[in-house]
Each structure stands twice: as structure tokens, then as C-alpha cells.
Amino acid sequence: FFSGGLSFLAEGKDDSLELNEVLKCAGELQKNVKFIFLSSLDSAFSRTTDRSIRESAKEKLCEFYAAETGMEIKIVQIPWLYSGSYKEDFLYQIFEKSYHKEPIWLEVAPKQEIQFISMPDLTQLLMRLVDNWKNGSGVLAVVDEFHIPFANLAEEITKVCGVQIALDTEKKV
């Protein structure tokens, strides 16, 4: 089950009820059900936001069903998804604007770390998880160990493309 909160800056729909229904149905199967819930890293961050509260609540729902039904539920906290071909994607839009030399304003803190994963990398991760499934439920946090802030991304795009990028509280360009 993909959480609705896996796109950067997109609020996404509240899919808690849908998740509840899927878990309820899976729990009623009374078979050896293995369930993967893809949650964003928002719930793992130390700051509390509306988004992190929603993600955390969905994870708690999964933990509840695992305890009540005996389902094996793996909660996988992943970075935000990105796509090089989906036109509504956050990074796609940044690179498109850079290519067309359009000024860019990003509503992010300069020190905020970039946390993204591509669909091919996620697919590979999920295949490994399924192939090496360990009995029981649990949480796997997939974090980016590079610690690259958005300020570095803005600086590099400016160097390479010559496009001005403003971050967070800076003036819109």
C-alpha cells in the first residue's frame, strides 16, 4: 500500500480510511497475509507537522492490525518518490524550469536535507524485502546518508544552468 504522502510538498489525499479498509479485508482472509505499507520518512523526522502526524497515525493503524490479526506487516519509511518523466513531479518541474532558464522559488529551508528515491530504486528495495522476508512485523527506515541540503542543490543548478533559485523565506524570483 502506497501512502498518499510520498510526493514532496504535495499534501496528498488522506488515505487513512482506504488503508483501514484494505487492512480490515486483509485481516479477514485468515491466511498467511504479508503486507507492506510504504510510508514517508515524515513520521521518522523529529519535527512535528500535519504531514508527520498523518503518516504516524497510518503506521499506528498498521501496528494495530498486525497485533490484532497476526498479519505480518512491514512498514517501510521511504524518502519522497521522484520521477524523471512525470510532469507533476517536484524534481521534474525544477529541472524543466532550469532547462528553460526560468527562475525558481522553492518553499524549503536551505538546510533541509534532500530525501528522494526513484521508482526503479524502490522496486529493487521491495524485491529484496520480499525475497528476504523475515517473520513478524516491523519498521524499516530508508534514509539518505549523504545529508545534502537543498542549498547545495540550488547552488549546483545555478552553476550548471545559470538559473537563479530562491529558497524558503528569500524573496520570490
Side-chain angles (χ1 to χ4, degrees), residues 2-16:
F2 281 75
S3 170
L6 294 175
S7 294
F8 184 72
L9 291 184
E11 284 302 313
K13 63 177 183 153
D14 181 6
D15 54 356
S16 302

Side-chain angles (χ1 to χ4, degrees), residues 102-115:
E102 297 174 22
I104 301 168
W105 178 68
L106 301 178
E107 201 172 341
V108 297
K111 290 183 180 180
Q112 182 176 341
E113 292 183 2
I114 298 170
Q115 300 273 346

